[in-house]
Amino acid sequence: MSAGAAAWDWRGKSQISALETNKDLLRIGVSNLLKKKLPDSQVVRSRFESRRRTRSKPQSSSDRPLRRPSSGANNGSRRRERQPKSKSPDLLPVPKPKAPRTRPEANNRPPSRRRNKPPRRGNKPPRKLSSLLWLYGVRVLILAVGLGAIAGTLLSVVDPSTQISEQNLEKETNQLQASIEPQPSPVLPLSQEITPLKTQLQVMLQQNPQLQPGVFLVDLDTGAYLNWEGSTAFSAASTIKVPILVAFFQDVDAGKIRLDETLTLTPETIATGSGDMQYQAIGTQYTALETATKMITISDNSATNMLIERLGGAIALNQRFQEWGLTATAIRNPLPDIEGTNTTSPEDLAKILARVNKGELISMRSRDRLLEIMKQTENNTLLPQGLGQGATIAHKTGYIGSMLGDVGIVDMPSGKRYLVAIMVSRPDNDPKAKEFIHAISRAAYQYFNQPFSRPNITITPSHAPKSVTARNQNW
């Protein structure tokens, strides 16, 4: 059945229903006319309305005609089943009465197809007055606390009494920490100056005005000392090899260098001047201990350059010297440094040997090795010439045309130990500088050899002493 036929069938049923209603009304009217009694208009209207409501109700799903798929292939649409038409010839088409527009009640409204949207932000329900007052009170309290903190900070900055109290508190704290922390002992605990030696030195300078000496001498037992221009920087020459030797044994103690490891002679490390390594073939290998020994005993410049390279270079060594408190000691050029750009001072050399003697920079075992190497120095033409019989000295000399120097630790037969460092700036190769060093060394030994200067504490080396013998040889 097509959709048009179904619509016509439904419209035909409606016309039939309307016609039957009209026939019933007509029958009632005719009967009333026959009885000569007109019906009440209200009764007629109510009956008419009730019947019209009944007819205007929508059909249920069970009354609707079923659809079935069409067998035709033209448009593939579904058609309703055809209902049998009424064959009453006397029925005329009656227009469908319009249903009255009645507003459905709230409970019978069909569900809305629109989705429930969230309420807008502007349509918030009004808050209660008590909650608003509580919220505003909290905000005012927070604001008051912040203003109070800012005002207190400003007052503490402006108020001078508060600043004074804070300064006093900081000062007391620093004093307390200073009293708790142990204070390091000075490197050279000096007690009093040795005036007799100072007087003799002044006399010698009057006799040699062309010389500019620096002398630092200290009794390691009592702290008595002599300091004459000791902090003045001089050209170091080979005396720079003393702090290099200390740095070498410091790395040995730290495990950075092994005494038996091999160092190779390279073209960059070969140096003229003193020493015999310069005559060896390039690529010749030496142990680290042998290289350090040659650097001191025969003042080998090539060995010195090899150790400087092995210890990290001049910059690294200079930084270490500064950490040790050596203010005038610096390596600026490799050896032989005839121009005298490498510098040190008698006080720096005395400081480093004093610390080595106390076992501060290196271990006691390395200290004994270092002193033993320095006792093997072959050039004994300077400080050793002023010592008496039986005295021993561990020292290192330095020599260029403009400077002559020697530094060492002297052990006397009486058991006294003292430290002496002498550096003399002179005209080119002036022999008076050597005589000056001899005289100072002799005066110091005679002073400490007096009975009244015998120390209460005797410090003896852990190795066998070596007698001093003068050797007149150039190096």
Side-chain angles (χ1 to χ4, degrees):
M1 183 184 292
S2 64
W8 176 255
D9 183 49
W10 178 81
R11 193 176 294 112
K13 287 184 179 181
S14 300
Q15 292 177 359
I16 292 171
S17 300
L19 185 60
E20 290 178 355
T21 302
N22 294 333
K23 288 170 65 177
D24 292 340
L25 293 176
L26 182 62
R27 191 183 301 111
I28 292 172
V30 171
S31 61
N32 289 336
L33 288 175
L34 293 177
K35 293 179 182 180
K36 298 180 180 181
K37 185 179 178 180
L38 294 175
D40 191 2
S41 60
Q42 186 68 26
V43 175
V44 175
R45 187 180 297 110
S46 63
R47 291 178 180 177
F48 180 77
E49 292 292 338
S50 62
R51 292 189 178 186
R52 189 171 60 178
R53 289 194 194 97
T54 304
R55 289 194 305 271
S56 62
K57 289 183 179 180
Q59 293 181 354
S60 62
S61 60
S62 61
D63 297 336
R64 293 178 184 175
L66 300 176
R67 295 181 182 181
R68 62 182 179 180
S70 176
S71 59
N74 294 332
N75 52 5
S77 62
R78 294 180 180 180
R79 301 178 180 178
R80 296 180 181 273
E81 294 182 358
R82 186 181 300 275
Q83 299 292 336
K85 296 184 178 180
S86 177
K87 299 181 180 181
S88 300
D90 54 345
L91 293 180
L92 297 177
V94 179
K96 181 180 178 182
K98 294 182 180 180
R101 294 182 180 180
T102 58
R103 187 174 182 179
E105 297 181 0
N107 297 333
N108 298 329
R109 289 181 183 179
S112 177
R113 294 182 180 179
R114 297 182 180 179
R115 296 181 180 179
N116 295 330
K117 296 182 179 181
R120 296 182 180 178
R121 294 183 179 180
N123 299 332
K124 293 182 179 180
R127 297 182 178 178
K128 294 183 180 180
L129 182 61
S130 61
S131 61
L132 291 176
L133 291 177
W134 181 83
L135 179 60
Y136 290 149
V138 171
R139 290 179 179 176
V140 170
L141 180 61
I142 295 173
L143 180 61
V145 171
L147 292 176
I150 295 173
T153 304
L154 293 176
L155 290 176
S156 64
V157 172
V158 175
D159 190 5
S161 61
T162 306
Q163 295 180 357
I164 294 174
S165 62
E166 291 179 355
Q167 292 177 0
N168 294 335
L169 179 60
E170 184 178 0
K171 188 182 298 183
E172 292 177 359
T173 304
N174 293 336
Q175 292 177 357
L176 181 61
Q177 291 179 354
S179 62
I180 294 175
E181 295 178 357
Q183 297 295 331
S185 59
V187 176
L188 288 174
L190 305 179
S191 58
Q192 60 181 0
E193 191 173 15
I194 305 174
T195 54
L197 287 180
K198 186 175 183 181
T199 303
Q200 295 182 40
L201 175 62
Q202 292 173 345
V203 172
M204 295 176 193
L205 287 177
Q206 291 176 359
Q207 297 173 358
N208 300 281
Q210 77 278 12
L211 303 179
Q212 296 178 0
V215 180
F216 197 95
L217 186 148
V218 59
D219 185 350
L220 295 177
D221 300 325
T222 64
Y225 71 97
L226 170 63
N227 184 2
W228 182 273
E229 301 295 335
S231 59
T232 303
F234 291 83
S235 296
S238 290
T239 59
I240 196 68
K241 299 171 184 177
V242 174
I244 294 175
L245 183 65
V246 175
F248 169 76
F249 279 108
Q250 193 175 63
D251 282 0
V252 170
D253 292 338
K256 299 179 181 179
I257 298 178
R258 290 174 54 94
L259 294 177
D260 59 350
E261 73 173 78
T262 57
L263 302 180
T264 304
L265 184 66
T266 61
E268 293 77 17
T269 57
I270 292 179
T272 60
S274 59
D276 58 5
M277 281 188 176
Q278 58 183 316
Y279 306 113
Q280 305 301 321
I282 296 175
T284 305
Q285 293 184 341
Y286 302 90
T287 64
L289 181 59
E290 183 181 4
T291 305
T293 303
K294 283 181 174 290
M295 179 182 68
I296 299 298
T297 57
I298 62 175
S299 195
D300 198 301
N301 292 330
S302 300
T304 306
N305 292 336
M306 292 170 66
L307 284 183
I308 291 175
E309 183 181 272
R310 179 62 182 84
L311 294 171
I315 297 176
L317 284 173
N318 290 337
Q319 184 177 0
R320 200 183 303 192
F321 298 160
Q322 292 295 321
E323 294 174 355
W324 294 345
L326 308 182
T327 57
T329 304
I331 302 174
R332 296 179 177 88
N333 284 298
L335 276 291
D337 187 34
I338 303 299
E339 295 79 10
T341 59
N342 302 332
T343 59
T344 188
S345 68
E347 186 176 1
D348 280 1
L349 295 175
K351 278 182 180 180
I352 193 170
L353 286 181
R355 297 188 68 178
V356 168
N357 179 68
K358 295 168 63 176
E360 289 186 356
L361 295 176
I362 57 179
S363 64
M364 301 302 289
R365 180 183 302 176
S366 294
R367 182 200 70 170
D368 294 342
R369 283 199 180 100
L370 181 144
L371 294 177
E372 182 63 31
I373 291 173
M374 292 182 68
K375 284 184 177 182
Q376 298 174 21
T377 299
E378 295 183 0
N379 185 2
N380 292 316
T381 61
L382 297 177
L383 286 177
Q385 294 300 311
L387 304 181
Q389 187 66 30
T392 60
I393 182 172
H395 70 114
K396 180 68 190 78
T397 58
Y399 169 85
I400 56 176
S402 61
M403 196 281 303
L404 189 64
D406 200 354
V407 55
I409 297 177
V410 178
D411 284 314
M412 300 180 65
S414 61
K416 176 176 284 295
R417 172 174 283 190
Y418 66 93
L419 191 155
V420 58
I422 304 175
M423 304 183 76
V424 182
S425 293
R426 59 176 182 174
D428 190 26
N429 292 320
D430 190 344
K432 294 291 184 179
K434 182 183 292 187
E435 297 175 4
F436 180 85
I437 295 175
H438 293 170
I440 294 295
S441 177
R442 187 179 303 109
Y445 184 83
Q446 292 174 357
Y447 175 81
F448 289 120
N449 199 32
Q450 297 177 17
F452 67 88
S453 62
R454 187 178 302 276
N456 296 326
I457 302 174
T458 302
I459 302 176
T460 56
S462 60
H463 40 267
K466 183 191 75 171
S467 299
V468 175
T469 57
R471 299 182 185 178
N472 297 323
Q473 57 183 358
N474 296 328
W475 52 280

